[in-house]
Short mmCIF file of all heavy atoms in Angstrom, two decimals:
data_model
loop_
_atom_site.label_atom_id
_atom_site.label_comp_id
_atom_site.label_asym_id
_atom_site.label_seq_id
_atom_site.Cartn_x
_atom_site.Cartn_y
_atom_site.Cartn_z
N MET K 1 9.25 12.29 -21.31
CA MET K 1 8.04 11.59 -20.96
C MET K 1 7.95 11.35 -19.47
O MET K 1 6.87 11.20 -18.94
CB MET K 1 7.97 10.28 -21.74
CG MET K 1 6.87 9.40 -21.28
SD MET K 1 6.13 8.53 -22.63
CE MET K 1 4.73 7.91 -21.80
N GLY K 2 9.04 11.30 -18.75
CA GLY K 2 8.99 11.06 -17.30
C GLY K 2 9.12 9.60 -16.95
O GLY K 2 9.50 8.77 -17.77
N MET K 3 8.79 9.28 -15.72
CA MET K 3 8.88 7.90 -15.23
C MET K 3 7.71 7.07 -15.71
O MET K 3 6.62 7.59 -15.89
CB MET K 3 8.85 7.88 -13.70
CG MET K 3 10.11 8.28 -13.03
SD MET K 3 9.97 7.88 -11.26
CE MET K 3 10.08 9.50 -10.59
N SER K 4 7.96 5.77 -15.83
CA SER K 4 6.86 4.85 -16.10
C SER K 4 6.00 4.76 -14.84
O SER K 4 6.47 5.06 -13.73
CB SER K 4 7.40 3.46 -16.45
OG SER K 4 7.96 2.85 -15.28
N PRO K 5 4.74 4.35 -14.97
CA PRO K 5 3.90 4.20 -13.78
C PRO K 5 4.53 3.29 -12.72
O PRO K 5 4.49 3.61 -11.53
CB PRO K 5 2.60 3.61 -14.33
CG PRO K 5 2.52 4.12 -15.73
CD PRO K 5 3.96 4.12 -16.20
N THR K 6 5.14 2.19 -13.14
CA THR K 6 5.75 1.26 -12.19
C THR K 6 6.89 1.93 -11.43
O THR K 6 7.02 1.77 -10.22
CB THR K 6 6.23 -0.01 -12.92
OG1 THR K 6 5.11 -0.60 -13.58
CG2 THR K 6 6.83 -1.01 -11.95
N ARG K 7 7.72 2.69 -12.13
CA ARG K 7 8.83 3.39 -11.47
C ARG K 7 8.31 4.47 -10.54
O ARG K 7 8.87 4.70 -9.47
CB ARG K 7 9.79 3.97 -12.49
CG ARG K 7 10.59 2.85 -13.18
CD ARG K 7 11.73 3.37 -13.96
NE ARG K 7 12.77 3.77 -12.99
CZ ARG K 7 13.89 4.37 -13.34
NH1 ARG K 7 14.14 4.65 -14.59
NH2 ARG K 7 14.78 4.69 -12.43
N ALA K 8 7.25 5.16 -10.92
CA ALA K 8 6.67 6.20 -10.07
C ALA K 8 6.12 5.60 -8.77
O ALA K 8 6.32 6.16 -7.69
CB ALA K 8 5.57 6.95 -10.81
N ILE K 9 5.47 4.45 -8.87
CA ILE K 9 4.95 3.76 -7.68
C ILE K 9 6.10 3.32 -6.78
O ILE K 9 6.06 3.50 -5.55
CB ILE K 9 4.04 2.58 -8.07
CG1 ILE K 9 2.77 3.11 -8.76
CG2 ILE K 9 3.69 1.73 -6.86
CD1 ILE K 9 1.98 2.05 -9.48
N ALA K 10 7.15 2.76 -7.36
CA ALA K 10 8.33 2.35 -6.58
C ALA K 10 8.97 3.55 -5.90
O ALA K 10 9.38 3.48 -4.73
CB ALA K 10 9.34 1.62 -7.46
N ALA K 11 9.06 4.67 -6.61
CA ALA K 11 9.65 5.88 -6.04
C ALA K 11 8.84 6.39 -4.86
O ALA K 11 9.39 6.89 -3.88
CB ALA K 11 9.78 6.96 -7.11
N ALA K 12 7.54 6.25 -4.94
CA ALA K 12 6.66 6.74 -3.87
C ALA K 12 6.59 5.78 -2.69
O ALA K 12 6.15 6.19 -1.60
CB ALA K 12 5.26 6.97 -4.42
N THR K 13 7.01 4.55 -2.86
CA THR K 13 6.87 3.55 -1.79
C THR K 13 8.22 3.01 -1.36
O THR K 13 8.81 3.46 -0.37
CB THR K 13 5.93 2.41 -2.22
OG1 THR K 13 6.41 1.83 -3.44
CG2 THR K 13 4.51 2.91 -2.44
N ARG K 14 8.74 2.07 -2.09
CA ARG K 14 9.98 1.37 -1.71
C ARG K 14 11.17 2.31 -1.58
O ARG K 14 11.89 2.29 -0.59
CB ARG K 14 10.28 0.26 -2.72
CG ARG K 14 11.50 -0.57 -2.40
CD ARG K 14 11.69 -1.71 -3.39
NE ARG K 14 11.51 -1.33 -4.77
CZ ARG K 14 12.47 -0.77 -5.54
NH1 ARG K 14 13.65 -0.53 -5.04
NH2 ARG K 14 12.22 -0.47 -6.79
N ILE K 15 11.37 3.16 -2.56
CA ILE K 15 12.55 4.04 -2.56
C ILE K 15 12.45 5.07 -1.44
O ILE K 15 13.44 5.35 -0.75
CB ILE K 15 12.73 4.68 -3.95
CG1 ILE K 15 13.08 3.57 -4.95
CG2 ILE K 15 13.81 5.76 -3.92
CD1 ILE K 15 13.05 4.00 -6.40
N ASN K 16 11.26 5.64 -1.21
CA ASN K 16 11.10 6.59 -0.11
C ASN K 16 11.32 5.92 1.24
O ASN K 16 11.90 6.52 2.14
CB ASN K 16 9.74 7.26 -0.15
CG ASN K 16 9.72 8.45 -1.08
OD1 ASN K 16 10.75 9.02 -1.40
ND2 ASN K 16 8.54 8.83 -1.52
N ALA K 17 10.85 4.70 1.41
CA ALA K 17 11.06 3.98 2.67
C ALA K 17 12.56 3.79 2.91
O ALA K 17 13.04 3.97 4.04
CB ALA K 17 10.34 2.63 2.64
N GLN K 18 13.29 3.44 1.88
CA GLN K 18 14.74 3.29 2.01
C GLN K 18 15.40 4.63 2.33
O GLN K 18 16.31 4.70 3.16
CB GLN K 18 15.34 2.70 0.74
CG GLN K 18 14.92 1.27 0.50
CD GLN K 18 15.28 0.76 -0.89
OE1 GLN K 18 15.66 1.51 -1.77
NE2 GLN K 18 15.15 -0.55 -1.07
N ALA K 19 14.92 5.70 1.70
CA ALA K 19 15.51 7.03 1.90
C ALA K 19 15.37 7.51 3.34
O ALA K 19 16.24 8.23 3.83
CB ALA K 19 14.88 8.03 0.94
N ILE K 20 14.29 7.12 4.00
CA ILE K 20 14.10 7.56 5.39
C ILE K 20 14.58 6.50 6.39
O ILE K 20 14.32 6.60 7.58
CB ILE K 20 12.64 7.95 5.67
CG1 ILE K 20 11.69 6.75 5.53
CG2 ILE K 20 12.21 9.12 4.81
CD1 ILE K 20 10.28 7.00 6.04
N GLY K 21 15.29 5.49 5.89
CA GLY K 21 15.85 4.46 6.76
C GLY K 21 14.84 3.47 7.29
O GLY K 21 15.09 2.81 8.29
N ARG K 22 13.70 3.30 6.60
CA ARG K 22 12.66 2.38 7.07
C ARG K 22 12.41 1.24 6.08
O ARG K 22 11.38 0.59 6.12
CB ARG K 22 11.35 3.14 7.29
CG ARG K 22 11.36 4.22 8.36
CD ARG K 22 11.42 3.71 9.79
NE ARG K 22 10.45 2.72 10.14
CZ ARG K 22 9.23 2.96 10.61
NH1 ARG K 22 8.82 4.18 10.80
NH2 ARG K 22 8.42 1.97 10.91
N GLY K 23 13.36 0.99 5.18
CA GLY K 23 13.21 -0.04 4.17
C GLY K 23 12.97 -1.44 4.71
O GLY K 23 12.38 -2.27 4.04
N ARG K 24 13.43 -1.70 5.94
CA ARG K 24 13.19 -3.03 6.53
C ARG K 24 11.76 -3.20 7.00
O ARG K 24 11.28 -4.33 7.13
CB ARG K 24 14.13 -3.25 7.71
CG ARG K 24 15.54 -3.48 7.32
CD ARG K 24 16.38 -3.82 8.51
NE ARG K 24 17.70 -4.24 8.06
CZ ARG K 24 18.63 -4.67 8.85
NH1 ARG K 24 18.41 -4.77 10.15
NH2 ARG K 24 19.80 -5.03 8.37
N ASP K 25 11.07 -2.08 7.27
CA ASP K 25 9.71 -2.14 7.81
C ASP K 25 8.63 -1.76 6.81
O ASP K 25 7.50 -2.20 6.92
CB ASP K 25 9.56 -1.16 8.99
CG ASP K 25 10.56 -1.41 10.10
OD1 ASP K 25 10.79 -2.58 10.43
OD2 ASP K 25 11.09 -0.42 10.63
N LEU K 26 8.97 -0.88 5.87
CA LEU K 26 7.97 -0.27 4.99
C LEU K 26 8.40 -0.35 3.53
O LEU K 26 9.52 -0.71 3.22
CB LEU K 26 7.80 1.22 5.34
CG LEU K 26 7.49 1.59 6.77
CD1 LEU K 26 7.61 3.11 6.95
CD2 LEU K 26 6.12 1.11 7.17
N GLY K 27 7.48 0.02 2.64
CA GLY K 27 7.84 0.24 1.25
C GLY K 27 7.53 -0.87 0.28
O GLY K 27 7.57 -0.67 -0.92
N SER K 28 7.22 -2.05 0.78
CA SER K 28 6.85 -3.16 -0.10
C SER K 28 5.98 -4.13 0.69
O SER K 28 5.93 -4.07 1.91
CB SER K 28 8.09 -3.88 -0.64
OG SER K 28 8.86 -4.42 0.41
N ILE K 29 5.30 -4.98 -0.03
CA ILE K 29 4.43 -5.96 0.62
C ILE K 29 5.21 -7.26 0.75
O ILE K 29 5.45 -7.96 -0.23
CB ILE K 29 3.13 -6.17 -0.19
CG1 ILE K 29 2.40 -4.84 -0.32
CG2 ILE K 29 2.25 -7.23 0.46
CD1 ILE K 29 1.24 -4.87 -1.26
N GLU K 30 5.64 -7.54 1.97
CA GLU K 30 6.42 -8.73 2.28
C GLU K 30 6.08 -9.19 3.68
O GLU K 30 5.69 -8.37 4.52
CB GLU K 30 7.92 -8.43 2.23
CG GLU K 30 8.44 -7.97 0.88
CD GLU K 30 9.92 -7.62 0.94
OE1 GLU K 30 10.70 -8.46 1.42
OE2 GLU K 30 10.27 -6.51 0.54
N PRO K 31 6.24 -10.49 3.97
CA PRO K 31 5.99 -10.96 5.34
C PRO K 31 6.84 -10.18 6.34
O PRO K 31 8.03 -9.92 6.10
CB PRO K 31 6.42 -12.44 5.29
CG PRO K 31 6.26 -12.83 3.86
CD PRO K 31 6.63 -11.58 3.08
N GLY K 32 6.21 -9.77 7.43
CA GLY K 32 6.91 -9.07 8.49
C GLY K 32 6.97 -7.56 8.33
O GLY K 32 7.41 -6.86 9.24
N LYS K 33 6.52 -7.03 7.20
CA LYS K 33 6.53 -5.59 6.99
C LYS K 33 5.17 -5.00 7.34
O LYS K 33 4.15 -5.66 7.30
CB LYS K 33 6.88 -5.25 5.54
CG LYS K 33 8.35 -5.46 5.23
CD LYS K 33 8.71 -4.81 3.93
CE LYS K 33 10.20 -4.83 3.72
NZ LYS K 33 10.57 -4.09 2.51
N ILE K 34 5.19 -3.71 7.68
CA ILE K 34 3.98 -2.96 7.98
C ILE K 34 3.43 -2.45 6.65
O ILE K 34 4.18 -1.90 5.85
CB ILE K 34 4.29 -1.78 8.89
CG1 ILE K 34 4.92 -2.28 10.19
CG2 ILE K 34 3.06 -0.93 9.17
CD1 ILE K 34 5.58 -1.19 11.01
N ALA K 35 2.13 -2.62 6.42
CA ALA K 35 1.58 -2.17 5.14
C ALA K 35 0.12 -1.76 5.28
O ALA K 35 -0.66 -2.44 5.92
CB ALA K 35 1.70 -3.26 4.09
N ASP K 36 -0.21 -0.63 4.69
CA ASP K 36 -1.59 -0.25 4.42
C ASP K 36 -1.74 -0.45 2.92
O ASP K 36 -0.82 -0.14 2.16
CB ASP K 36 -1.87 1.19 4.80
CG ASP K 36 -1.71 1.44 6.30
OD1 ASP K 36 -1.92 0.50 7.08
OD2 ASP K 36 -1.40 2.58 6.68
N ILE K 37 -2.85 -0.98 2.49
CA ILE K 37 -3.00 -1.37 1.09
C ILE K 37 -4.28 -0.75 0.52
O ILE K 37 -5.29 -0.64 1.22
CB ILE K 37 -3.08 -2.91 0.97
CG1 ILE K 37 -1.80 -3.55 1.51
CG2 ILE K 37 -3.31 -3.35 -0.47
CD1 ILE K 37 -1.86 -5.04 1.64
N ILE K 38 -4.22 -0.37 -0.75
CA ILE K 38 -5.41 0.08 -1.45
C ILE K 38 -5.71 -0.86 -2.60
O ILE K 38 -4.80 -1.45 -3.18
CB ILE K 38 -5.29 1.54 -1.98
CG1 ILE K 38 -4.15 1.68 -2.98
CG2 ILE K 38 -5.15 2.51 -0.83
CD1 ILE K 38 -4.09 3.02 -3.68
N VAL K 39 -6.99 -1.02 -2.90
CA VAL K 39 -7.44 -1.76 -4.07
C VAL K 39 -8.05 -0.73 -5.01
O VAL K 39 -8.92 0.04 -4.59
CB VAL K 39 -8.48 -2.83 -3.70
CG1 VAL K 39 -9.00 -3.55 -4.95
CG2 VAL K 39 -7.90 -3.83 -2.71
N VAL K 40 -7.56 -0.70 -6.25
CA VAL K 40 -8.04 0.31 -7.19
C VAL K 40 -8.77 -0.34 -8.35
O VAL K 40 -8.61 -1.53 -8.62
CB VAL K 40 -6.87 1.17 -7.73
CG1 VAL K 40 -6.19 1.90 -6.60
CG2 VAL K 40 -5.86 0.34 -8.51
N ASN K 41 -9.57 0.45 -9.02
CA ASN K 41 -10.28 0.00 -10.21
C ASN K 41 -9.38 0.31 -11.40
O ASN K 41 -9.30 1.44 -11.85
CB ASN K 41 -11.62 0.72 -10.33
CG ASN K 41 -12.45 0.20 -11.48
OD1 ASN K 41 -12.02 -0.67 -12.23
ND2 ASN K 41 -13.64 0.73 -11.63
N GLY K 42 -8.67 -0.69 -11.88
CA GLY K 42 -7.73 -0.51 -12.99
C GLY K 42 -6.37 -1.05 -12.62
O GLY K 42 -6.17 -1.58 -11.53
N ASN K 43 -5.43 -0.90 -13.53
CA ASN K 43 -4.08 -1.40 -13.33
C ASN K 43 -3.10 -0.23 -13.38
O ASN K 43 -2.76 0.25 -14.45
CB ASN K 43 -3.73 -2.43 -14.40
CG ASN K 43 -2.38 -3.08 -14.14
OD1 ASN K 43 -1.56 -2.57 -13.41
ND2 ASN K 43 -2.16 -4.21 -14.78
N PRO K 44 -2.64 0.25 -12.21
CA PRO K 44 -1.75 1.40 -12.20
C PRO K 44 -0.40 1.15 -12.85
O PRO K 44 0.31 2.10 -13.18
CB PRO K 44 -1.60 1.74 -10.72
CG PRO K 44 -1.99 0.51 -10.00
CD PRO K 44 -2.96 -0.23 -10.88
N SER K 45 -0.05 -0.11 -13.10
CA SER K 45 1.20 -0.40 -13.81
C SER K 45 1.13 0.07 -15.26
O SER K 45 2.17 0.33 -15.87
CB SER K 45 1.50 -1.90 -13.80
OG SER K 45 1.74 -2.34 -12.50
N PHE K 46 -0.07 0.17 -15.78
CA PHE K 46 -0.27 0.63 -17.15
C PHE K 46 -0.86 2.03 -17.22
O PHE K 46 -0.62 2.78 -18.15
CB PHE K 46 -1.15 -0.34 -17.94
CG PHE K 46 -0.55 -1.71 -18.04
CD1 PHE K 46 -1.04 -2.75 -17.30
CD2 PHE K 46 0.53 -1.94 -18.88
CE1 PHE K 46 -0.47 -4.02 -17.38
CE2 PHE K 46 1.11 -3.20 -18.97
CZ PHE K 46 0.61 -4.23 -18.23
N ASP K 47 -1.69 2.38 -16.21
CA ASP K 47 -2.37 3.67 -16.20
C ASP K 47 -2.32 4.22 -14.78
O ASP K 47 -3.11 3.83 -13.92
CB ASP K 47 -3.81 3.51 -16.67
CG ASP K 47 -4.60 4.80 -16.65
OD1 ASP K 47 -4.00 5.88 -16.50
OD2 ASP K 47 -5.83 4.72 -16.79
N ILE K 48 -1.40 5.14 -14.52
CA ILE K 48 -1.18 5.67 -13.18
C ILE K 48 -2.43 6.34 -12.61
O ILE K 48 -2.63 6.40 -11.40
CB ILE K 48 0.03 6.63 -13.15
CG1 ILE K 48 0.54 6.86 -11.73
CG2 ILE K 48 -0.28 7.93 -13.84
CD1 ILE K 48 1.28 5.72 -11.14
N THR K 49 -3.32 6.82 -13.47
CA THR K 49 -4.54 7.47 -12.97
C THR K 49 -5.48 6.48 -12.27
O THR K 49 -6.39 6.90 -11.56
CB THR K 49 -5.30 8.19 -14.10
OG1 THR K 49 -5.76 7.24 -15.06
CG2 THR K 49 -4.44 9.24 -14.77
N ALA K 50 -5.24 5.18 -12.42
CA ALA K 50 -6.03 4.17 -11.70
C ALA K 50 -5.90 4.37 -10.19
O ALA K 50 -6.81 4.03 -9.44
CB ALA K 50 -5.60 2.77 -12.09
N LEU K 51 -4.79 4.96 -9.74
CA LEU K 51 -4.61 5.21 -8.31
C LEU K 51 -5.63 6.20 -7.76
O LEU K 51 -5.83 6.28 -6.55
CB LEU K 51 -3.19 5.70 -8.02
CG LEU K 51 -2.09 4.66 -8.24
CD1 LEU K 51 -0.73 5.28 -8.05
CD2 LEU K 51 -2.29 3.47 -7.31
N SER K 52 -6.28 6.94 -8.63
CA SER K 52 -7.31 7.88 -8.16
C SER K 52 -8.69 7.22 -8.08
O SER K 52 -9.66 7.87 -7.70
CB SER K 52 -7.36 9.10 -9.07
OG SER K 52 -7.79 8.75 -10.36
N HIS K 53 -8.77 5.95 -8.40
CA HIS K 53 -10.05 5.21 -8.36
C HIS K 53 -9.98 4.13 -7.28
O HIS K 53 -10.06 2.94 -7.56
CB HIS K 53 -10.35 4.59 -9.72
CG HIS K 53 -10.33 5.58 -10.84
ND1 HIS K 53 -11.30 6.54 -11.01
CD2 HIS K 53 -9.43 5.79 -11.82
CE1 HIS K 53 -11.02 7.28 -12.06
NE2 HIS K 53 -9.88 6.85 -12.57
N VAL K 54 -9.85 4.57 -6.03
CA VAL K 54 -9.70 3.64 -4.90
C VAL K 54 -11.06 3.01 -4.57
O VAL K 54 -12.05 3.71 -4.38
CB VAL K 54 -9.13 4.37 -3.67
CG1 VAL K 54 -9.05 3.43 -2.48
CG2 VAL K 54 -7.76 4.95 -4.00
N GLU K 55 -11.07 1.69 -4.52
CA GLU K 55 -12.29 0.93 -4.19
C GLU K 55 -12.29 0.49 -2.72
O GLU K 55 -13.33 0.53 -2.07
CB GLU K 55 -12.39 -0.31 -5.08
CG GLU K 55 -12.45 -0.01 -6.56
CD GLU K 55 -13.82 0.48 -6.99
OE1 GLU K 55 -14.81 0.02 -6.42
OE2 GLU K 55 -13.87 1.34 -7.89
N ILE K 56 -11.14 0.03 -2.24
CA ILE K 56 -11.02 -0.51 -0.88
C ILE K 56 -9.71 -0.03 -0.28
O ILE K 56 -8.70 0.05 -0.97
CB ILE K 56 -11.05 -2.06 -0.89
CG1 ILE K 56 -12.40 -2.57 -1.44
CG2 ILE K 56 -10.78 -2.64 0.50
CD1 ILE K 56 -12.43 -4.07 -1.69
N VAL K 57 -9.73 0.26 1.03
CA VAL K 57 -8.53 0.60 1.78
C VAL K 57 -8.41 -0.38 2.93
O VAL K 57 -9.40 -0.63 3.63
CB VAL K 57 -8.59 2.04 2.34
CG1 VAL K 57 -7.39 2.33 3.22
CG2 VAL K 57 -8.69 3.05 1.20
N VAL K 58 -7.23 -0.94 3.13
CA VAL K 58 -6.96 -1.77 4.31
C VAL K 58 -5.90 -1.02 5.11
O VAL K 58 -4.78 -0.83 4.64
CB VAL K 58 -6.45 -3.18 3.93
CG1 VAL K 58 -6.21 -4.00 5.19
CG2 VAL K 58 -7.43 -3.87 3.00
N LYS K 59 -6.30 -0.54 6.28
CA LYS K 59 -5.40 0.24 7.13
C LYS K 59 -5.42 -0.35 8.53
O LYS K 59 -6.48 -0.44 9.15
CB LYS K 59 -5.84 1.70 7.16
CG LYS K 59 -4.93 2.57 8.00
CD LYS K 59 -5.21 4.04 7.75
CE LYS K 59 -4.33 4.93 8.59
NZ LYS K 59 -2.93 4.79 8.37
N GLU K 60 -4.25 -0.75 8.99
CA GLU K 60 -4.10 -1.33 10.33
C GLU K 60 -5.07 -2.47 10.57
O GLU K 60 -5.67 -2.58 11.63
CB GLU K 60 -4.21 -0.24 11.39
CG GLU K 60 -3.11 0.79 11.29
CD GLU K 60 -3.22 1.91 12.30
OE1 GLU K 60 -4.21 1.95 13.08
OE2 GLU K 60 -2.32 2.76 12.30
N GLY K 61 -5.27 -3.30 9.55
CA GLY K 61 -6.11 -4.48 9.68
C GLY K 61 -7.60 -4.24 9.52
O GLY K 61 -8.38 -5.17 9.62
N VAL K 62 -8.00 -3.01 9.27
CA VAL K 62 -9.42 -2.70 9.09
C VAL K 62 -9.66 -2.44 7.61
O VAL K 62 -8.92 -1.71 6.97
CB VAL K 62 -9.84 -1.46 9.92
CG1 VAL K 62 -11.31 -1.14 9.70
CG2 VAL K 62 -9.55 -1.69 11.39
N VAL K 63 -10.71 -3.07 7.07
CA VAL K 63 -11.06 -2.94 5.66
C VAL K 63 -12.15 -1.89 5.53
O VAL K 63 -13.20 -1.98 6.18
CB VAL K 63 -11.56 -4.29 5.09
CG1 VAL K 63 -11.94 -4.14 3.63
CG2 VAL K 63 -10.51 -5.38 5.28
N TYR K 64 -11.89 -0.88 4.69
CA TYR K 64 -12.85 0.20 4.44
C TYR K 64 -13.28 0.16 2.98
O TYR K 64 -12.44 0.03 2.09
CB TYR K 64 -12.21 1.56 4.71
CG TYR K 64 -11.75 1.75 6.13
CD1 TYR K 64 -10.45 1.42 6.50
CD2 TYR K 64 -12.61 2.27 7.09
CE1 TYR K 64 -10.02 1.61 7.80
CE2 TYR K 64 -12.19 2.46 8.40
CZ TYR K 64 -10.88 2.12 8.74
OH TYR K 64 -10.47 2.31 10.03
N LYS K 65 -14.58 0.27 2.76
CA LYS K 65 -15.10 0.31 1.39
C LYS K 65 -16.25 1.30 1.36
O LYS K 65 -17.15 1.24 2.20
CB LYS K 65 -15.58 -1.08 0.97
CG LYS K 65 -16.10 -1.12 -0.45
CD LYS K 65 -16.46 -2.53 -0.87
CE LYS K 65 -16.91 -2.53 -2.31
NZ LYS K 65 -17.31 -3.85 -2.75
N GLY K 66 -16.21 2.21 0.41
CA GLY K 66 -17.28 3.18 0.26
C GLY K 66 -17.45 4.09 1.46
O GLY K 66 -18.56 4.50 1.78
N GLY K 67 -16.38 4.37 2.17
CA GLY K 67 -16.44 5.27 3.31
C GLY K 67 -16.81 4.60 4.61
O GLY K 67 -16.83 5.24 5.65
N GLY K 68 -17.12 3.30 4.58
CA GLY K 68 -17.49 2.60 5.80
C GLY K 68 -16.57 1.43 6.08
O GLY K 68 -15.79 1.03 5.25
N THR K 69 -16.69 0.87 7.28
CA THR K 69 -15.90 -0.29 7.66
C THR K 69 -16.59 -1.55 7.20
O THR K 69 -17.78 -1.72 7.42
CB THR K 69 -15.71 -0.34 9.19
OG1 THR K 69 -15.13 0.88 9.62
CG2 THR K 69 -14.82 -1.50 9.59
N VAL K 70 -15.85 -2.43 6.52
CA VAL K 70 -16.40 -3.70 6.05
C VAL K 70 -16.07 -4.81 7.03
O VAL K 70 -16.91 -5.60 7.41
CB VAL K 70 -15.84 -4.05 4.65
CG1 VAL K 70 -16.31 -5.42 4.21
CG2 VAL K 70 -16.24 -2.99 3.65
N GLU K 71 -14.83 -4.86 7.47
CA GLU K 71 -14.38 -5.94 8.33
C GLU K 71 -13.25 -5.42 9.19
O GLU K 71 -12.43 -4.63 8.75
CB GLU K 71 -13.89 -7.09 7.46
CG GLU K 71 -13.43 -8.31 8.21
CD GLU K 71 -12.99 -9.42 7.28
OE1 GLU K 71 -13.47 -9.51 6.15
OE2 GLU K 71 -12.13 -10.19 7.70
N SER K 72 -13.19 -5.86 10.42
CA SER K 72 -12.13 -5.42 11.31
C SER K 72 -11.35 -6.62 11.81
O SER K 72 -11.93 -7.64 12.17
CB SER K 72 -12.75 -4.67 12.50
OG SER K 72 -11.76 -4.25 13.38
N ARG K 73 -10.04 -6.48 11.81
CA ARG K 73 -9.16 -7.53 12.32
C ARG K 73 -8.15 -6.89 13.25
O ARG K 73 -7.74 -5.76 13.02
CB ARG K 73 -8.41 -8.23 11.18
CG ARG K 73 -9.33 -9.01 10.30
CD ARG K 73 -8.53 -9.85 9.34
NE ARG K 73 -9.45 -10.58 8.51
CZ ARG K 73 -9.24 -10.92 7.27
NH1 ARG K 73 -8.12 -10.59 6.68
NH2 ARG K 73 -10.14 -11.59 6.60
N PRO K 74 -7.70 -7.61 14.26
CA PRO K 74 -6.66 -7.04 15.12
C PRO K 74 -5.38 -6.80 14.32
O PRO K 74 -5.09 -7.56 13.40
CB PRO K 74 -6.45 -8.09 16.20
CG PRO K 74 -7.29 -9.25 15.85
CD PRO K 74 -8.11 -8.91 14.65
N PRO K 75 -4.62 -5.77 14.65
CA PRO K 75 -3.36 -5.55 13.96
C PRO K 75 -2.44 -6.74 14.09
O PRO K 75 -2.45 -7.43 15.11
CB PRO K 75 -2.75 -4.32 14.67
CG PRO K 75 -3.89 -3.70 15.42
CD PRO K 75 -4.87 -4.80 15.69
N SER K 76 -1.62 -6.99 13.07
CA SER K 76 -0.70 -8.12 13.10
C SER K 76 0.44 -7.83 14.06
O SER K 76 0.75 -6.70 14.35
CB SER K 76 -0.16 -8.42 11.70
OG SER K 76 1.06 -7.81 11.49
N THR K 77 1.09 -8.88 14.49
CA THR K 77 2.23 -8.72 15.39
C THR K 77 3.45 -8.22 14.64
O THR K 77 4.44 -7.86 15.25
CB THR K 77 2.56 -10.05 16.10
OG1 THR K 77 2.79 -11.05 15.12
CG2 THR K 77 1.45 -10.46 17.03
N ALA K 78 3.38 -8.14 13.30
CA ALA K 78 4.50 -7.62 12.51
C ALA K 78 4.78 -6.17 12.86
O ALA K 78 5.90 -5.71 12.79
CB ALA K 78 4.22 -7.75 11.01
N SER K 79 3.76 -5.43 13.27
CA SER K 79 3.94 -4.02 13.62
C SER K 79 4.35 -3.83 15.06
O SER K 79 4.52 -2.72 15.53
CB SER K 79 2.64 -3.24 13.34
OG SER K 79 1.64 -3.69 14.23
N GLY K 80 4.51 -4.95 15.77
CA GLY K 80 4.91 -4.86 17.16
C GLY K 80 3.73 -4.89 18.12
O GLY K 80 3.90 -4.94 19.31
N ALA K 81 2.50 -4.86 17.62
CA ALA K 81 1.31 -4.89 18.47
C ALA K 81 1.04 -6.32 18.91
O ALA K 81 1.33 -7.26 18.19
CB ALA K 81 0.11 -4.34 17.71
N LYS K 82 0.47 -6.46 20.09
CA LYS K 82 0.12 -7.80 20.59
C LYS K 82 -1.30 -7.81 21.07
O LYS K 82 -1.85 -6.88 21.48
CB LYS K 82 1.07 -8.22 21.69
CG LYS K 82 2.47 -8.36 21.16
CD LYS K 82 3.30 -9.17 22.09
CE LYS K 82 4.70 -9.21 21.50
NZ LYS K 82 5.37 -10.37 21.52
#
């Protein structure tokens, strides 16, 4: 049957970050870590195909929805930017 959706997500994020030596900076959502986040329609923990239904993307502090910018914020100092 393969991996569960939760294990597949961990393998693609947390485990890969550790494998490339960036586990302290990337791979999970925690204070002080760098993260780009997606909001999906559905629960990928139960249905991995929900990851193909992206509603919102937050990348470097900018919120994108429907192909456009919704809100812009300066990057956090967690990434080293000031």
Side-chain angles (χ1 to χ4, degrees):
M1 171 144 191
M3 283 191 243
S4 71
T6 302
R7 289 193 75 185
I9 293 166
T13 56
R14 183 176 45 84
I15 294 169
N16 276 339
Q18 292 169 349
I20 64 170
R22 297 288 309 271
R24 287 185 172 184
D25 303 318
L26 306 170
S28 61
I29 300 171
E30 299 177 52
K33 287 194 171 185
I34 301 166
D36 296 332
I37 300 171
I38 61 172
V39 177
V40 299
N41 185 357
N43 186 341
S45 295
F46 299 106
D47 178 12
I48 197 74
T49 64
L51 292 175
S52 66
H53 306 289
V54 177
E55 300 284 325
I56 297 171
V57 175
V58 181
K59 181 167 179 60
E60 297 178 357
V62 179
V63 179
Y64 299 91
K65 182 175 182 181
T69 304
V70 175
E71 182 178 332
S72 179
R73 293 189 180 148
S76 96
T77 56
S79 66
K82 296 198 182 222

